Amino acid sequence: MTVVDASAVLAFLQGEDGGALVEEALGAGAVTGAANWSEVAQKVLAHGRDWSLARALLLSFDLRVEPVTADDAEWAAMRWQTGEGLSPGDRFCLALGARLGREVLPADRAWGSDGHIQQVRWPSVSLARVTNGCFGVR
């Protein structure tokens, strides 16, 4: 099971580069955090798109939405560094990955790609490492 970040889910919904990799992760049983779920919903709604359709599509993959715990919140706060470029939602996603001991799949290059982070848009990503455009949202 892979933890998918909001940026990766949005890349999938929009048919962007890396979307097929995200679809494979979703098909294999992925998880996202409630903070990232909210971010995806907000982006879809902010662009006047149909959240009920996007939600139904994502849940058709049996995507599990995990709550944010107090430990996740503290982990995310301690991870913050000046100028690192990671939002609170990014850090919540990393915290979830750490809590579950799973790979995290972002589409935001600010995250890098070391440890348990596997970028969806970098050519070095292989589908084997991930297995343990219709909404127009930016």
Side-chain angles (χ1 to χ4, degrees):
M1 176 184 338
T2 302
V3 176
V4 291
D5 176 56
S7 61
V9 174
L10 290 168
F12 164 70
L13 288 175
Q14 299 173 132
E16 294 178 353
D17 289 344
L21 186 64
V22 177
E23 185 174 7
E24 285 218 13
L26 291 169
V31 63
T32 194
N36 289 127
W37 186 250
S38 177
E39 185 177 349
V40 171
Q42 181 268 317
K43 294 282 188 183
V44 170
L45 292 167
H47 287 86
R49 304 301 181 180
D50 186 345
W51 170 241
S52 63
L53 179 61
R55 182 182 192 279
L57 174 63
L58 294 170
L59 294 178
S60 74
F61 286 98
D62 200 27
L63 174 64
R64 193 172 89 213
V65 180
E66 277 285 313
V68 174
T69 67
D71 287 341
D72 292 342
E74 292 169 13
W75 190 101
M78 288 186 268
R79 173 67 171 77
W80 177 81
Q81 296 177 8
T82 301
E84 79 177 338
L86 297 179
S87 71
D90 295 339
R91 293 190 312 273
F92 280 128
C93 187
L94 288 169
L96 178 60
R99 175 165 48 99
L100 299 177
R102 300 295 181 173
E103 284 188 324
V104 178
L105 205 59
D108 183 344
R109 293 182 184 187
W111 291 43
S113 65
D114 59 338
H116 291 286
I117 299 171
Q118 299 300 323
Q119 284 287 337
V120 301
R121 293 187 177 149
W122 287 7
S124 62
V125 174
S126 74
L127 295 178
R129 289 169 54 192
V130 176
T131 57
N132 260 356
C134 54
F135 291 94
V137 178
R138 295 241 181 254

